[in-house]
Amino acid sequence: MPKLKTRKGASERFKLTASGKLKRNHANHGHILTKKTRKLKRNLTQTAIVAKADVPRIKKMMGV
């Protein structure tokens, strides 16, 4: 069997935690920030955990 290739876009966007969960960044923090509240912008900087339904698909893309 040949080695599995990683989808580079997925490997750059998601990180695997020590317990095997997937971390992701929030959307909507790239531009048009003037109309967003301080609280929203602050909360968008934090990472989030990927939804359970999406984990198998993303792990397959990452080659994990």
Side-chain angles (χ1 to χ4, degrees), residues 4-23 49-64:
L4 288 174
K5 283 196 172 182
T6 306
R7 306 262 178 140
K8 296 308 265 183
S11 65
E12 289 170 12
R13 284 178 173 86
F14 302 102
K15 297 286 176 251
L16 205 60
T17 63
S19 61
K21 295 178 183 175
L22 285 167
K23 286 195 309 185
I49 301 296
V50 172
K52 208 187 308 184
D54 297 324
V55 168
R57 190 164 36 103
I58 295 170
K59 279 191 175 180
K60 187 179 176 185
M61 282 194 271
M62 292 178 69
V64 177

